[in-house]
Amino acid sequence: MARIGNTKKRFVKPITVKKQSNVDHVTGEKIPKSFVFSRGKLPGPLKQLQMDLRKLMLPYTALNLKEKRRNNLKDYLNVAGPMGVTHFLILSKTESAPYLRVARTPQGPTLTFKILEYSLAVDIAQSQLRPRCPKDLFKNPPLIVLSGFGSGDQHLKLTTIMFQNIFPAIDINTVKLSSCQRIVLLNYNKDTKLIDFRHYSIRLQPVGVTRRLRKFVQNHQVPDLRSLQDVSDFVTKAGYGSESEADDEAAHVTLASDLGRINQASTKSAVKLQEIGPRMTLQLIKVEEGLCSGGVIFSEYGGERKQDGKGDQKKDQEDTNSGSENEDEDDKEGQEVDEDD
């Protein structure tokens, strides 16, 4: 007699992936999103700089963007539209120096920066006595502050607009203080024509509260009182750095709402910035009308280097439209940019 097996199918709950909204539910504006990738082969430190820039652009970026050698600029552009990507940050390396291009999709403009100096996030953390990087630090996008870009030059105005629009806009009437945890500072020096790029974390400390009390309230740990004669000694004795950390009255703010256990509404707190990296010194080399192509609006090297600019522009255009030689191979394997965010 034939044995009938158990044909009952088990129910498997489907995995649902929560998609990010393209429109801010508060401001009603489109949320800018970005791709950070490279063109050409990068050395190890620049690859790490690329990952640091991806973390900086969180949460509206592809942190685990998978790049393939056969992918050209057109491939990224084809994927950017359906995914709502508005900006490209492109790293490249030549024999002379590394470069960073910041482009608006799909029609430009494109700003090309020469990276004169840079420090990775890990280097910044190793140089600090107490590096700070909470687990929810990258849950919200950073604030953007620009300084020194107020001159009437057209290329500086374009730089200002580009960086202002690369991060989501905030409404000061509805923004939550708990979401303001990072800040990106760009300072333009009109004498050297260089841009200092810095990335900081924001933290608040209540004014007039010792470090011992702050740690006690935050950690909920029983303090060690064996060396004290009285409990009042624990309260009155100043902890390490407690008095010097909040001397600058210009950094004191009055909170409108509670922020954590020790920063209460209607009390004064000191705003502290701690650098988390990456750090860069940039020089604006070229501004193009299109996406890595088109007319040159600005060139740092004047009319003599305009020919070089056209050469770069032709190279970028060929890179955008490349793939003719490998069409058969790409058709077989499929030209695509994999994104696992």
Side-chain angles (χ1 to χ4, degrees), residues 7-294:
T7 60
K8 185 178 180 180
K9 295 183 179 180
R10 294 182 179 180
F11 175 75
V12 179
K13 186 178 180 180
I15 300 174
T16 57
V17 179
K18 186 178 180 180
K19 295 184 178 181
Q20 291 181 334
S21 175
N22 291 331
V23 180
D24 193 316
H25 68 282
V26 176
T27 61
E29 299 180 359
K30 185 178 180 180
I31 298 176
K33 298 181 180 180
S34 63
F35 274 169
V36 182
F37 57 94
S38 62
R39 304 300 298 138
K41 188 175 181 179
L42 296 181
L46 279 178
K47 287 182 180 179
Q48 185 58 48
L49 178 62
Q50 176 179 287
M51 290 304 301
D52 289 346
L53 288 175
R54 288 182 181 179
K55 289 188 66 176
L56 183 147
M57 300 301 297
L58 286 174
Y60 300 111
T61 192
L63 182 62
N64 299 317
L65 181 67
K66 297 179 181 178
E67 305 176 58
K68 298 179 180 178
R69 281 191 173 184
R70 68 173 185 268
N71 290 134
N72 55 37
L73 196 58
K74 189 176 180 180
D75 296 330
Y76 292 98
L77 191 59
N78 291 336
V79 177
M83 297 187 63
V85 175
T86 59
H87 292 83
F88 286 166
L89 279 75
I90 310 171
L91 281 170
S92 60
K93 177 71 169 65
T94 65
E95 294 181 358
S96 59
Y99 290 85
L100 173 66
R101 284 184 287 181
V102 182
R104 173 84 183 191
T105 62
Q107 299 177 347
T110 302
L111 279 62
T112 302
F113 299 92
K114 183 178 182 180
I115 305 177
L116 301 179
E117 297 176 347
Y118 68 92
S119 297
L120 303 176
V122 64
D123 298 328
I124 300 297
Q126 289 177 353
S127 65
Q128 297 173 348
L129 183 62
R130 296 183 181 87
R132 178 179 181 270
C133 189
K135 60 180 180 180
D136 59 343
L137 186 62
F138 298 93
K139 186 179 180 180
N140 298 290
L143 308 177
I144 178 73
V145 175
L146 297 100
S147 174
F149 291 87
S151 63
D153 297 335
Q154 183 183 9
H155 63 283
L156 293 182
K157 290 182 179 179
L158 285 173
T159 304
T160 301
I161 295 173
M162 179 70 77
F163 280 104
Q164 283 178 340
N165 294 332
I166 205 171
F167 297 105
I170 62 172
D171 187 349
I172 59 174
N173 297 319
T174 58
V175 65
K176 296 181 179 179
L177 293 179
S178 58
S179 65
C180 302
Q181 297 191 29
R182 294 185 292 135
I183 185 170
V184 173
L185 300 180
L186 280 84
N187 179 63
Y188 177 76
N189 190 322
K190 63 180 181 180
D191 298 326
T192 61
K193 296 183 179 180
L194 300 181
I195 300 174
D196 294 323
F197 185 102
R198 300 290 187 269
H199 183 211
Y200 297 92
S201 67
I202 304 174
R203 59 191 177 97
L204 295 177
Q205 291 181 354
V207 177
V209 179
T210 63
R211 183 166 177 260
R212 283 188 171 186
L213 284 179
R214 289 200 307 269
K215 291 183 65 177
F216 172 69
V217 175
Q218 290 175 337
N219 301 332
H220 290 288
Q221 294 180 352
V222 178
D224 186 2
L225 305 177
R226 290 177 296 178
S227 60
L228 303 178
Q229 298 297 328
D230 191 81
V231 178
S232 60
D233 295 339
F234 177 80
V235 179
T236 58
K237 187 176 180 180
Y240 173 77
S242 60
E243 301 298 332
S244 61
E245 288 178 346
D247 289 339
D248 189 6
E249 294 185 359
H252 295 178
V253 295
T254 302
L255 300 180
S257 59
D258 294 345
L259 187 62
R261 299 189 183 99
I262 60 176
N263 295 287
Q264 302 296 319
S266 302
T267 60
K268 281 190 175 183
S269 296
V271 180
K272 297 294 179 181
L273 300 181
Q274 184 168 347
E275 189 172 4
I276 55 178
R279 176 194 300 181
M280 293 185 291
T281 300
L282 306 173
Q283 181 184 13
L284 182 61
I285 299 298
K286 184 172 59 174
V287 179
E288 298 168 284
E289 291 181 349
L291 183 65
C292 300
S293 62

